[in-house]
Amino acid sequence: MTQTIHIVGGGLAGSEAAWQVAEAGHRAVLHEMRPVRGTEAHQTDGLAELVCSNSFRSDDPEGNAVGLLHQEMRTLGSLIMRAADANQVPAGGALAVDREGFSAAVTRTLEQHPNVTLVRGEVEGLPPEAWGPCIVATGPLTAPALAEGIRGLTGAESLAFFDAIAPIVHRDSIDMEVAWFQSRYDKPGPGGTGADYLNCPMNREQYDAFVAALVAGEKIGFKQWEGTPYFDGCLPVEVMAERGPETLRHGPMKPVGLTNPRDPLVKPCAIVQLRQDNALGTLYNMVGFQTKLTYAEQVRIFRTIPGLERAEFARLGGLHRNTYLDSPRLLDATLRLKARPALRFAGQITGCEGYVESAAVGLMAGRFAVAEAAGRPLAPLPQTTALGALIAHITGGHVAADGEANAPRSFQPMNVNFGLFPPLAQAPRNETGRRLRGPEKAALKKRALTDRARTDLAAWMAGTQPADWRPAAAE
């Protein structure tokens, strides 16, 4: 039976969701408020307009998580990847596109599709219940009326409007000859053991040099429309450093209640703490280190912290306007709003980060909606795939807040990365059976993760793909 599914938002996620719905034989009504109402960031009325960059990042499916995500989306008949491939410009190992050509291709394809109706105009507030199934994909610049409607339905704390992001480090890149596990005063939080934080100690010389580097480091300014949303609960680490050389020692880097087991008689001048960030235990968040430093400066300065000299970052820090849901609390495993299951959410408003990730969540939201309409719900995506790892992060793969008064929200936007994947059952070895170290180990591990992902996605597709599903061939 053909069903009508409304999609609100004509960005990458909404466009991809509409394509998936239409290609499955259902009617997709795509609502895009531009040009009737513009945004502070968009310049055109084209669908899937790229605002910040023309890069879809690495296209390497063997050694990069986003490259693997590209491959999985192509396998599932993605319009966004089809348009990107058709409008590619030279960018080395990355996939970069001609912005105008890319947006024009997506717009033209959807406008010409017989199952797509494009409606120009703002959806003010929540979509009417009379519409039935609906996918909301309005991105980080969701219109105020719709944002207020979501808040009214889900609670005042359901949306974050200014996103204070601290860097996240891959656990296996932290030097455990330097760092140690301990909670302050050995106090276990809910579900904790009393050894829930990784601690990196600094002596006075290291601390003074670190503070000086923070103050002198190159920063990113706010966009004109963002304002300056500093408040004392999430000051950038460099702003704290500018308030006085001892500020950090009495803030996120205070050394009290902690003892270095390797040198218990020497009190560190300061300590950087990292807290487990995902349920798998593969990612650790730098506590209190939200920042406006440029990405290059973050890597350079944060690698001067003892124990983080070889740190690999799953995500770097930032502070900017970014409207997104507290998705693990509000959405189910198929991206439906628990408070109103006829509404699904997709794209950056769910708490993914990046063009490709946004489109990928739109792809899955469209497929979930199609499967539900057909009365054949999809089996859960394997978390060993890039798509599955991303959906699992959004819908519950993070670690919950500590339960402390005024604790910061622990769920924050994330790019796809190998830290979201379940660890391999066995450490990679070379042909002779020797366990590897360093770059050779890292390369073989990534290859093993991507090989496993391809195998598991193929098995999932074989078990769940409707027989009449035929993705259109790439142009």
Side-chain angles (χ1 to χ4, degrees):
M1 182 179 70
T2 300
Q3 189 160 356
T4 297
I5 298 173
H6 291 258
I7 299 97
V8 181
L12 278 78
S15 296
E16 184 65 62
W19 170 257
Q20 296 292 326
V21 168
E23 282 292 280
H26 296 278
R27 288 190 62 242
V29 180
L30 180 58
H31 301 262
E32 169 53 51
M33 69 180 186
R34 292 174 295 124
V36 177
R37 173 174 178 158
T39 76
E40 302 94 329
H42 290 85
Q43 302 296 317
T44 77
D45 62 359
L47 301 178
E49 179 185 339
L50 303 180
V51 174
C52 299
S53 168
N54 72 330
S55 176
F56 283 26
R57 311 195 317 280
S58 173
D59 202 34
D60 174 13
E62 310 289 343
N64 190 285
V66 75
L68 175 65
L69 187 59
H70 291 174
Q71 185 179 67
E72 292 180 1
M73 293 171 67
R74 291 181 178 114
T75 300
L76 293 175
S78 165
L79 170 63
I80 293 301
M81 292 309 302
R82 168 179 157 180
D85 291 336
N87 291 276
Q88 186 172 2
V89 296
L95 174 59
V97 304
D98 177 287
R99 292 176 194 248
E100 294 183 2
F102 169 79
S103 176
V106 173
T107 304
R108 181 173 60 251
T109 300
L110 290 175
E111 285 180 336
Q112 294 176 354
H113 199 295
N115 292 340
V116 176
T117 300
L118 179 59
V119 179
R120 297 284 187 173
E122 181 181 356
V123 176
E124 297 185 4
L126 291 170
E129 291 191 24
W131 282 3
C134 182
I135 298 170
V136 178
T138 47
L141 298 178
T142 295
L146 178 54
E148 285 306 309
I150 295 168
R151 287 168 66 96
L153 186 63
T154 59
E157 301 304 316
S158 62
L159 284 173
F161 289 95
F162 282 101
D163 188 16
I165 297 175
I168 289 179
V169 180
H170 287 275
R171 162 68 175 80
D172 59 9
S173 71
I174 300 170
D175 186 352
M176 294 306 296
E177 296 296 316
V178 176
W180 76 94
F181 279 104
Q182 185 186 9
S183 298
R184 204 175 302 280
Y185 301 111
D186 301 309
K187 180 181 178 181
T193 65
D196 304 320
Y197 292 79
L198 273 171
N199 299 278
C200 298
M202 283 185 177
N203 60 31
R204 169 56 71 174
E205 182 180 1
Q206 291 166 333
Y207 174 76
D208 288 344
F210 181 72
V211 169
L214 289 176
V215 172
E218 182 180 357
K219 284 85 174 176
I220 300 172
F222 283 98
K223 297 180 178 67
Q224 183 178 359
W225 49 268
E226 286 186 309
T228 307
Y230 295 153
F231 57 97
D232 285 342
C234 68
L235 284 175
V237 64
E238 64 274 8
V239 172
M240 286 188 275
E242 290 168 356
R243 291 187 171 185
E246 298 297 296
T247 302
L248 288 170
R249 290 188 65 244
H250 296 277
M253 295 176 65
K254 59 180 178 286
V256 299
L258 299 164
T259 301
N260 186 346
R262 299 182 184 88
D263 202 355
L265 298 181
V266 175
K267 192 70 173 177
C269 175
I271 291 176
V272 174
Q273 288 197 304
L274 297 96
R275 177 177 53 223
Q276 185 176 332
D277 195 77
N278 67 338
L280 295 173
T282 54
L283 301 174
Y284 274 73
N285 186 297
M286 295 178 67
V287 178
F289 269 65
Q290 53 272 358
T291 179
K292 287 292 285 185
L293 289 167
T294 65
Y295 286 173
E297 288 288 76
Q298 289 183 51
V299 173
R300 179 182 68 83
I301 295 170
F302 295 157
R303 282 182 177 167
T304 67
I305 298 169
L308 302 185
E309 293 91 346
R310 295 179 177 83
E312 296 296 330
F313 296 91
R315 184 193 68 194
L316 289 162
L319 187 67
H320 56 91
R321 178 178 173 184
N322 189 4
T323 304
Y324 66 97
L325 293 166
D326 188 2
S327 292
R329 183 172 63 86
L330 299 175
L331 304 183
D332 70 11
T334 66
L335 303 170
R336 294 184 307 180
L337 189 68
K338 295 174 185 176
R340 184 174 153 187
L343 291 183
R344 272 190 171 83
F345 284 80
Q348 284 184 269
I349 196 170
T350 66
C352 65
E353 187 74 39
Y355 290 142
V356 180
E357 290 86 344
S358 181
V361 178
L363 184 155
M364 289 311 305
R367 283 179 170 256
F368 287 140
V370 165
E372 188 173 90
R376 294 179 292 182
L378 290 177
L381 277 160
Q383 195 175 345
T384 51
T385 65
L387 281 163
L390 191 60
I391 297 295
H393 168 70
I394 290 168
T395 59
H398 75 306
V399 174
D402 304 60
E404 302 169 1
N406 302 316
R409 48 192 293 144
S410 60
F411 176 68
Q412 291 183 327
M414 177 78 76
N415 292 112
V416 68
N417 65 84
F418 286 124
L420 300 180
F421 291 55
L424 296 166
Q426 293 183 333
R429 299 173 183 266
N430 67 6
E431 294 81 357
T432 66
R434 178 177 60 86
R435 293 189 67 174
L436 304 174
R437 298 184 181 279
E440 188 180 9
K441 175 184 176 181
L444 196 58
K445 175 183 174 183
K446 291 175 182 177
R447 180 60 185 268
L449 288 168
T450 56
D451 285 347
R452 182 181 69 175
R454 279 184 282 275
T455 298
D456 290 355
L457 181 65
W460 179 80
M461 291 177 66
T464 62
Q465 283 281 79
D468 58 351
W469 190 285
R470 295 289 184 270
E475 290 180 342

